[in-house]
Short mmCIF file of all heavy atoms in Angstrom, two decimals:
data_model
loop_
_atom_site.label_atom_id
_atom_site.label_comp_id
_atom_site.label_asym_id
_atom_site.label_seq_id
_atom_site.Cartn_x
_atom_site.Cartn_y
_atom_site.Cartn_z
N MET A 1 -29.35 5.13 173.69
CA MET A 1 -29.67 6.21 174.57
C MET A 1 -29.51 5.78 176.15
O MET A 1 -29.65 4.55 176.35
CB MET A 1 -31.07 6.56 174.39
CG MET A 1 -31.51 7.14 172.96
SD MET A 1 -33.17 7.83 172.92
CE MET A 1 -33.20 9.28 173.92
N SER A 2 -29.11 6.70 176.84
CA SER A 2 -28.89 6.36 178.20
C SER A 2 -30.11 6.43 179.06
O SER A 2 -31.08 7.17 178.69
CB SER A 2 -27.88 7.27 178.85
OG SER A 2 -28.29 8.61 178.75
N LYS A 3 -30.14 5.66 180.02
CA LYS A 3 -31.39 5.65 180.92
C LYS A 3 -30.96 6.40 182.17
O LYS A 3 -29.95 6.29 182.79
CB LYS A 3 -31.57 4.23 181.27
CG LYS A 3 -32.96 4.06 182.09
CD LYS A 3 -33.17 2.57 182.50
CE LYS A 3 -34.49 2.36 183.26
NZ LYS A 3 -34.76 1.08 183.56
N PHE A 4 -31.89 7.39 182.47
CA PHE A 4 -31.85 8.09 183.68
C PHE A 4 -32.30 7.48 184.89
O PHE A 4 -33.51 6.85 184.88
CB PHE A 4 -32.39 9.62 183.53
CG PHE A 4 -31.85 10.28 182.46
CD1 PHE A 4 -32.36 10.51 181.18
CD2 PHE A 4 -30.64 10.97 182.70
CE1 PHE A 4 -31.70 11.26 180.20
CE2 PHE A 4 -30.01 11.76 181.84
CZ PHE A 4 -30.56 11.91 180.46
N THR A 5 -31.68 7.59 185.95
CA THR A 5 -32.29 6.96 187.23
C THR A 5 -32.37 8.13 188.24
O THR A 5 -31.55 9.29 188.15
CB THR A 5 -31.30 5.88 187.78
OG1 THR A 5 -29.97 6.58 188.12
CG2 THR A 5 -31.11 4.80 186.89
N SER A 6 -33.23 7.95 189.22
CA SER A 6 -33.49 8.83 190.18
C SER A 6 -33.50 8.29 191.44
O SER A 6 -33.95 7.19 191.59
CB SER A 6 -34.89 9.52 189.89
OG SER A 6 -35.32 10.35 190.93
N GLU A 7 -33.00 8.91 192.44
CA GLU A 7 -32.91 8.38 193.87
C GLU A 7 -33.34 9.41 194.88
O GLU A 7 -32.86 10.53 194.84
CB GLU A 7 -31.45 7.82 194.21
CG GLU A 7 -31.24 7.30 195.57
CD GLU A 7 -29.92 6.89 195.73
OE1 GLU A 7 -29.09 6.60 194.89
OE2 GLU A 7 -29.53 6.77 197.05
N PHE A 8 -34.08 8.96 195.77
CA PHE A 8 -34.69 9.85 196.76
C PHE A 8 -34.31 9.28 198.18
O PHE A 8 -34.63 8.14 198.37
CB PHE A 8 -36.19 10.14 196.79
CG PHE A 8 -36.60 10.79 195.53
CD1 PHE A 8 -37.09 10.06 194.55
CD2 PHE A 8 -36.60 12.17 195.44
CE1 PHE A 8 -37.59 10.72 193.35
CE2 PHE A 8 -37.17 12.88 194.28
CZ PHE A 8 -37.58 12.05 193.23
N ARG A 9 -33.64 10.20 198.89
CA ARG A 9 -33.35 9.74 200.35
C ARG A 9 -33.30 10.92 201.25
O ARG A 9 -33.01 12.09 200.81
CB ARG A 9 -32.01 8.83 200.36
CG ARG A 9 -30.78 9.68 199.89
CD ARG A 9 -29.73 8.78 199.83
NE ARG A 9 -28.62 9.45 199.17
CZ ARG A 9 -27.24 9.41 199.62
NH1 ARG A 9 -26.94 8.70 200.71
NH2 ARG A 9 -26.44 10.12 198.95
N GLU A 10 -33.49 10.64 202.54
CA GLU A 10 -33.43 11.63 203.56
C GLU A 10 -32.00 11.76 204.06
O GLU A 10 -31.39 10.70 204.22
CB GLU A 10 -34.47 11.34 204.59
CG GLU A 10 -35.90 11.51 204.18
CD GLU A 10 -36.84 11.31 205.27
OE1 GLU A 10 -36.44 11.63 206.44
OE2 GLU A 10 -37.99 10.97 205.07
N LEU A 11 -31.77 12.95 204.32
CA LEU A 11 -30.38 13.18 204.89
C LEU A 11 -30.49 13.63 206.32
O LEU A 11 -31.41 14.53 206.57
CB LEU A 11 -29.53 14.26 204.15
CG LEU A 11 -29.28 14.01 202.54
CD1 LEU A 11 -28.56 15.22 201.98
CD2 LEU A 11 -28.46 12.80 202.51
N ASN A 12 -29.62 13.34 207.23
CA ASN A 12 -29.57 13.76 208.49
C ASN A 12 -28.99 15.17 208.48
O ASN A 12 -28.48 15.71 207.59
CB ASN A 12 -28.87 12.89 209.54
CG ASN A 12 -27.49 12.68 209.24
OD1 ASN A 12 -26.81 13.65 208.91
ND2 ASN A 12 -26.89 11.54 209.61
N ILE A 13 -29.05 15.94 209.58
CA ILE A 13 -28.67 17.33 209.69
C ILE A 13 -27.19 17.43 209.47
O ILE A 13 -26.74 18.37 208.84
CB ILE A 13 -28.97 17.80 211.12
CG1 ILE A 13 -28.92 19.34 210.99
CG2 ILE A 13 -28.23 17.34 212.29
CD1 ILE A 13 -29.82 20.05 210.17
N ASP A 14 -26.30 16.59 209.87
CA ASP A 14 -24.97 16.56 209.64
C ASP A 14 -24.67 16.48 208.16
O ASP A 14 -23.75 17.10 207.45
CB ASP A 14 -24.14 15.53 210.39
CG ASP A 14 -24.18 15.75 211.91
OD1 ASP A 14 -24.21 16.93 212.32
OD2 ASP A 14 -24.16 14.74 212.60
N GLN A 15 -25.30 15.55 207.41
CA GLN A 15 -25.25 15.48 206.00
C GLN A 15 -25.66 16.70 205.22
O GLN A 15 -24.96 17.12 204.33
CB GLN A 15 -25.92 14.19 205.53
CG GLN A 15 -25.31 12.95 205.94
CD GLN A 15 -26.31 11.77 205.66
OE1 GLN A 15 -27.44 11.80 205.72
NE2 GLN A 15 -25.61 10.62 205.30
N LEU A 16 -26.71 17.27 205.76
CA LEU A 16 -27.18 18.53 205.02
C LEU A 16 -26.06 19.68 205.20
O LEU A 16 -25.99 20.30 204.34
CB LEU A 16 -28.60 18.84 205.66
CG LEU A 16 -29.81 18.00 205.27
CD1 LEU A 16 -31.08 18.45 206.13
CD2 LEU A 16 -30.05 18.16 203.72
N ASP A 17 -25.64 19.81 206.46
CA ASP A 17 -24.75 20.73 206.72
C ASP A 17 -23.53 20.58 205.74
O ASP A 17 -22.98 21.59 205.24
CB ASP A 17 -24.16 20.77 208.10
CG ASP A 17 -25.15 21.61 209.11
OD1 ASP A 17 -26.01 22.28 208.57
OD2 ASP A 17 -25.02 21.42 210.22
N SER A 18 -22.95 19.38 205.55
CA SER A 18 -21.97 19.20 204.76
C SER A 18 -22.15 19.56 203.29
O SER A 18 -21.21 20.05 202.60
CB SER A 18 -21.34 17.81 204.83
OG SER A 18 -22.28 16.73 204.34
N VAL A 19 -23.31 19.21 202.87
CA VAL A 19 -23.71 19.49 201.51
C VAL A 19 -23.99 21.05 201.27
O VAL A 19 -23.51 21.55 200.20
CB VAL A 19 -24.98 18.80 201.08
CG1 VAL A 19 -25.60 19.11 199.80
CG2 VAL A 19 -24.69 17.39 201.02
N SER A 20 -24.56 21.75 202.21
CA SER A 20 -24.87 23.10 202.05
C SER A 20 -23.82 24.02 202.42
O SER A 20 -23.82 25.14 202.22
CB SER A 20 -26.29 23.41 202.79
OG SER A 20 -25.78 23.39 204.24
N GLY A 21 -22.76 23.63 202.94
CA GLY A 21 -21.62 24.50 203.45
C GLY A 21 -21.84 24.78 204.98
O GLY A 21 -21.01 25.39 205.55
N GLY A 22 -22.83 24.21 205.59
CA GLY A 22 -23.00 24.26 207.12
C GLY A 22 -23.04 25.74 207.57
O GLY A 22 -23.50 26.59 206.90
N ASP A 23 -22.63 25.93 208.80
CA ASP A 23 -22.70 27.12 209.48
C ASP A 23 -21.85 28.22 208.74
O ASP A 23 -22.12 29.40 208.81
CB ASP A 23 -22.26 27.01 210.93
CG ASP A 23 -23.30 26.25 211.83
OD1 ASP A 23 -24.38 26.12 211.28
OD2 ASP A 23 -22.92 25.86 212.81
N MET A 24 -20.82 27.89 208.17
CA MET A 24 -19.81 28.80 207.50
C MET A 24 -20.58 29.62 206.44
O MET A 24 -20.62 30.83 206.38
CB MET A 24 -18.75 28.08 206.78
CG MET A 24 -17.60 29.05 206.19
SD MET A 24 -16.33 28.19 205.42
CE MET A 24 -17.11 27.63 204.01
N ALA A 25 -21.38 28.93 205.58
CA ALA A 25 -22.28 29.63 204.56
C ALA A 25 -23.23 30.63 205.29
O ALA A 25 -23.38 31.76 204.69
CB ALA A 25 -22.93 28.62 203.59
N ILE A 26 -23.89 30.16 206.24
CA ILE A 26 -24.89 31.02 206.95
C ILE A 26 -24.20 32.18 207.50
O ILE A 26 -24.69 33.40 207.38
CB ILE A 26 -25.66 30.25 207.96
CG1 ILE A 26 -26.59 29.14 207.24
CG2 ILE A 26 -26.44 31.20 208.82
CD1 ILE A 26 -27.20 28.18 208.11
N ASN A 27 -23.09 32.05 208.26
CA ASN A 27 -22.34 33.03 208.86
C ASN A 27 -21.87 34.07 207.76
O ASN A 27 -21.92 35.19 208.05
CB ASN A 27 -21.13 32.45 209.75
CG ASN A 27 -21.68 31.63 210.85
OD1 ASN A 27 -22.79 31.79 211.30
ND2 ASN A 27 -20.80 30.78 211.42
N LEU A 28 -21.39 33.55 206.75
CA LEU A 28 -20.97 34.60 205.61
C LEU A 28 -22.08 35.38 205.06
O LEU A 28 -21.98 36.71 205.01
CB LEU A 28 -20.25 33.77 204.48
CG LEU A 28 -18.88 33.22 204.80
CD1 LEU A 28 -18.40 32.36 203.57
CD2 LEU A 28 -17.79 34.25 205.05
N ALA A 29 -23.30 34.81 204.97
CA ALA A 29 -24.46 35.54 204.62
C ALA A 29 -24.87 36.56 205.56
O ALA A 29 -25.22 37.66 205.16
CB ALA A 29 -25.63 34.50 204.15
N VAL A 30 -24.84 36.12 206.79
CA VAL A 30 -25.29 37.08 207.92
C VAL A 30 -24.32 38.28 207.96
O VAL A 30 -24.70 39.48 208.02
CB VAL A 30 -25.41 36.24 209.27
CG1 VAL A 30 -25.53 37.39 210.35
CG2 VAL A 30 -26.60 35.39 209.23
N LYS A 31 -23.08 37.91 207.87
CA LYS A 31 -22.12 39.05 207.89
C LYS A 31 -22.26 40.09 206.87
O LYS A 31 -22.07 41.21 206.97
CB LYS A 31 -20.62 38.46 207.90
CG LYS A 31 -19.44 39.34 207.87
CD LYS A 31 -19.30 40.06 209.30
CE LYS A 31 -18.05 40.90 209.31
NZ LYS A 31 -18.26 42.10 209.73
N ALA A 32 -22.57 39.46 205.58
CA ALA A 32 -22.63 40.36 204.43
C ALA A 32 -23.91 41.21 204.50
O ALA A 32 -23.82 42.42 204.17
CB ALA A 32 -22.94 39.44 203.13
N TYR A 33 -24.98 40.66 204.98
CA TYR A 33 -26.13 41.47 205.23
C TYR A 33 -26.01 42.53 206.43
O TYR A 33 -26.44 43.68 206.29
CB TYR A 33 -27.32 40.67 205.67
CG TYR A 33 -28.00 39.97 204.44
CD1 TYR A 33 -27.85 38.65 204.15
CD2 TYR A 33 -28.70 40.87 203.58
CE1 TYR A 33 -28.60 38.20 203.03
CE2 TYR A 33 -29.43 40.25 202.38
CZ TYR A 33 -29.36 38.92 202.07
OH TYR A 33 -29.79 38.46 201.05
N GLU A 34 -25.14 42.25 207.54
CA GLU A 34 -24.80 43.08 208.50
C GLU A 34 -24.13 44.14 207.95
O GLU A 34 -24.41 45.51 208.19
CB GLU A 34 -24.13 42.40 209.72
CG GLU A 34 -25.02 41.62 210.50
CD GLU A 34 -24.31 40.88 211.57
OE1 GLU A 34 -22.98 40.73 211.46
OE2 GLU A 34 -24.93 40.21 212.40
N ASP A 35 -23.16 44.04 207.16
CA ASP A 35 -22.17 44.95 206.58
C ASP A 35 -22.95 45.93 205.62
O ASP A 35 -22.84 47.11 205.61
CB ASP A 35 -21.02 44.39 205.87
CG ASP A 35 -19.99 43.83 206.74
OD1 ASP A 35 -20.02 43.98 207.89
OD2 ASP A 35 -19.25 42.95 206.22
N MET A 36 -23.92 45.36 204.84
CA MET A 36 -24.73 46.08 203.86
C MET A 36 -25.63 47.01 204.74
O MET A 36 -25.75 48.17 204.33
CB MET A 36 -25.55 45.15 203.16
CG MET A 36 -26.31 45.94 202.04
SD MET A 36 -27.27 44.83 200.92
CE MET A 36 -28.26 43.83 202.00
N GLY A 37 -26.19 46.54 205.79
CA GLY A 37 -26.99 47.42 206.74
C GLY A 37 -26.39 48.57 207.25
O GLY A 37 -26.83 49.71 207.29
N LYS A 38 -25.10 48.25 207.72
CA LYS A 38 -24.23 49.38 208.29
C LYS A 38 -24.04 50.48 207.24
O LYS A 38 -24.02 51.60 207.53
CB LYS A 38 -22.94 48.91 208.87
CG LYS A 38 -23.16 47.92 210.03
CD LYS A 38 -21.81 47.40 210.57
CE LYS A 38 -22.01 46.33 211.77
NZ LYS A 38 -20.79 45.83 212.12
N ARG A 39 -23.59 50.01 206.10
CA ARG A 39 -23.29 50.95 204.98
C ARG A 39 -24.60 51.81 204.48
O ARG A 39 -24.46 52.94 204.31
CB ARG A 39 -22.78 50.27 203.74
CG ARG A 39 -21.46 49.73 203.88
CD ARG A 39 -20.70 49.34 202.58
NE ARG A 39 -21.54 48.43 201.81
CZ ARG A 39 -21.51 47.07 201.85
NH1 ARG A 39 -20.56 46.57 202.70
NH2 ARG A 39 -22.18 46.28 201.08
N LEU A 40 -25.87 51.13 204.67
CA LEU A 40 -27.02 51.71 204.23
C LEU A 40 -27.32 52.77 205.29
O LEU A 40 -27.82 53.88 205.13
CB LEU A 40 -28.24 50.81 204.05
CG LEU A 40 -29.52 51.34 203.88
CD1 LEU A 40 -29.46 52.01 202.47
CD2 LEU A 40 -30.50 50.25 203.76
N VAL A 41 -27.11 52.49 206.66
CA VAL A 41 -27.52 53.26 207.66
C VAL A 41 -26.47 54.49 207.63
O VAL A 41 -26.89 55.78 207.75
CB VAL A 41 -27.43 52.72 209.05
CG1 VAL A 41 -27.43 53.65 210.21
CG2 VAL A 41 -28.60 51.71 209.22
N ALA A 42 -25.19 54.36 207.27
CA ALA A 42 -24.33 55.40 207.22
C ALA A 42 -24.53 56.32 206.05
O ALA A 42 -24.44 57.55 206.29
CB ALA A 42 -22.79 54.77 207.10
N ALA A 43 -25.00 55.75 204.98
CA ALA A 43 -25.43 56.61 203.87
C ALA A 43 -26.59 57.36 204.10
O ALA A 43 -26.69 58.70 203.80
CB ALA A 43 -25.57 55.76 202.61
N VAL A 44 -27.60 56.98 204.86
CA VAL A 44 -28.78 57.74 205.23
C VAL A 44 -28.63 58.70 206.24
O VAL A 44 -29.15 59.88 206.13
CB VAL A 44 -29.91 56.71 205.76
CG1 VAL A 44 -31.00 57.53 206.27
CG2 VAL A 44 -30.48 55.84 204.56
N ARG A 45 -27.60 58.45 207.14
CA ARG A 45 -27.34 59.45 208.26
C ARG A 45 -26.36 60.45 207.70
O ARG A 45 -26.12 61.56 208.44
CB ARG A 45 -26.74 58.77 209.34
CG ARG A 45 -27.81 57.91 210.09
CD ARG A 45 -27.36 57.47 211.30
NE ARG A 45 -28.30 56.68 212.03
CZ ARG A 45 -28.13 55.98 213.16
NH1 ARG A 45 -26.89 55.92 213.61
NH2 ARG A 45 -29.06 55.34 213.75
N LYS A 46 -25.65 60.37 206.52
CA LYS A 46 -24.86 61.42 206.05
C LYS A 46 -25.41 62.65 205.94
O LYS A 46 -26.48 62.80 205.10
CB LYS A 46 -24.10 60.80 204.80
CG LYS A 46 -23.05 61.75 204.21
CD LYS A 46 -22.43 61.23 202.93
CE LYS A 46 -21.70 60.09 203.17
NZ LYS A 46 -20.94 59.66 201.87
N PRO A 47 -24.81 63.78 206.35
CA PRO A 47 -25.53 65.07 206.22
C PRO A 47 -25.44 65.51 204.73
O PRO A 47 -24.57 65.21 203.97
CB PRO A 47 -24.67 65.94 207.00
CG PRO A 47 -23.37 65.33 207.26
CD PRO A 47 -23.61 63.82 207.13
N VAL A 48 -26.47 66.21 204.34
CA VAL A 48 -26.49 66.77 202.98
C VAL A 48 -25.64 68.09 202.97
O VAL A 48 -25.83 68.93 203.95
CB VAL A 48 -27.92 67.00 202.63
CG1 VAL A 48 -28.05 67.81 201.27
CG2 VAL A 48 -28.85 65.88 202.72
N THR A 49 -24.71 67.98 202.14
CA THR A 49 -23.82 69.23 202.10
C THR A 49 -24.23 70.24 201.04
O THR A 49 -24.85 70.00 200.06
CB THR A 49 -22.41 68.73 201.75
OG1 THR A 49 -22.46 68.14 200.50
CG2 THR A 49 -21.79 67.72 202.71
N GLN A 50 -23.85 71.44 201.40
CA GLN A 50 -24.17 72.51 200.43
C GLN A 50 -22.97 72.86 199.69
O GLN A 50 -21.97 72.57 199.93
CB GLN A 50 -24.58 73.80 201.37
CG GLN A 50 -25.70 73.74 202.25
CD GLN A 50 -26.98 73.49 201.45
OE1 GLN A 50 -27.24 74.14 200.51
NE2 GLN A 50 -27.83 72.63 202.11
N PRO A 51 -23.25 73.57 198.49
CA PRO A 51 -22.09 73.86 197.62
C PRO A 51 -21.10 74.74 198.39
O PRO A 51 -21.68 75.65 199.22
CB PRO A 51 -22.75 74.57 196.39
CG PRO A 51 -24.17 74.22 196.48
CD PRO A 51 -24.42 73.92 197.95
N THR A 52 -19.73 74.52 198.18
CA THR A 52 -18.88 75.42 198.92
C THR A 52 -18.81 76.81 198.39
O THR A 52 -18.34 77.70 199.19
CB THR A 52 -17.50 74.72 198.93
OG1 THR A 52 -17.12 74.45 197.49
CG2 THR A 52 -17.58 73.38 199.61
N SER A 53 -19.05 76.97 197.25
CA SER A 53 -19.02 78.43 196.56
C SER A 53 -20.25 78.66 195.88
O SER A 53 -20.78 77.90 195.18
CB SER A 53 -17.83 78.44 195.51
OG SER A 53 -18.11 77.46 194.55
N PRO A 54 -20.75 79.96 196.31
CA PRO A 54 -22.07 80.29 195.60
C PRO A 54 -21.96 80.59 194.15
O PRO A 54 -20.77 80.95 193.65
CB PRO A 54 -22.46 81.53 196.43
CG PRO A 54 -21.15 82.12 197.04
CD PRO A 54 -20.29 80.96 197.14
N LEU A 55 -22.97 80.37 193.44
CA LEU A 55 -22.91 80.55 192.06
C LEU A 55 -23.38 82.11 191.66
O LEU A 55 -24.51 82.31 191.54
CB LEU A 55 -23.84 79.58 191.29
CG LEU A 55 -23.52 78.06 191.43
CD1 LEU A 55 -24.61 77.15 190.90
CD2 LEU A 55 -22.19 77.74 190.81
N ARG A 56 -22.32 82.84 191.73
CA ARG A 56 -22.55 84.34 191.42
C ARG A 56 -21.78 84.69 190.13
O ARG A 56 -20.76 84.27 189.97
CB ARG A 56 -22.24 85.23 192.53
CG ARG A 56 -23.02 84.98 193.74
CD ARG A 56 -22.74 86.04 194.79
NE ARG A 56 -23.33 85.57 196.10
CZ ARG A 56 -23.05 86.10 197.29
NH1 ARG A 56 -22.11 87.07 197.35
NH2 ARG A 56 -23.64 85.69 198.36
N HIS A 57 -22.30 85.73 189.46
CA HIS A 57 -21.70 86.30 188.33
C HIS A 57 -21.06 87.67 188.56
O HIS A 57 -21.59 88.37 189.31
CB HIS A 57 -22.53 86.30 187.05
CG HIS A 57 -22.82 84.93 186.60
ND1 HIS A 57 -22.11 84.36 185.76
CD2 HIS A 57 -23.92 84.05 186.84
CE1 HIS A 57 -22.51 83.16 185.45
NE2 HIS A 57 -23.65 83.01 186.05
#
């Protein structure tokens, strides 16, 4: 059987950025949330339309 080892160490901010994707990942997430918010506001502000032809017999 293999023996598992574990190592704990602290990373400095530059090492954390390189592991997590840095500013690029954060910027992409912020942009996605901004775009989603814009679409949501546009959908809420869209006027409710009435049927174009009345339903008469």
Side-chain angles (χ1 to χ4, degrees):
M1 295 183 72
S2 62
K3 184 178 180 181
F4 293 101
T5 60
S6 170
E7 179 181 337
F8 295 95
R9 60 184 168 139
E10 291 185 26
L11 301 175
N12 65 33
I13 193 69
D14 292 329
Q15 291 170 324
L16 286 172
D17 277 347
S18 69
V19 170
S20 69
D23 288 342
M24 184 180 78
I26 293 171
N27 291 340
L28 287 173
V30 168
K31 178 75 173 129
Y33 278 112
E34 286 174 347
D35 290 345
M36 183 175 62
K38 288 176 186 176
R39 289 192 308 267
L40 179 63
V41 168
V44 169
R45 289 187 177 173
K46 185 184 285 189
V48 178
T49 59
Q50 298 295 324
T52 55
S53 62
L55 300 174
R56 293 185 194 171
H57 291 277

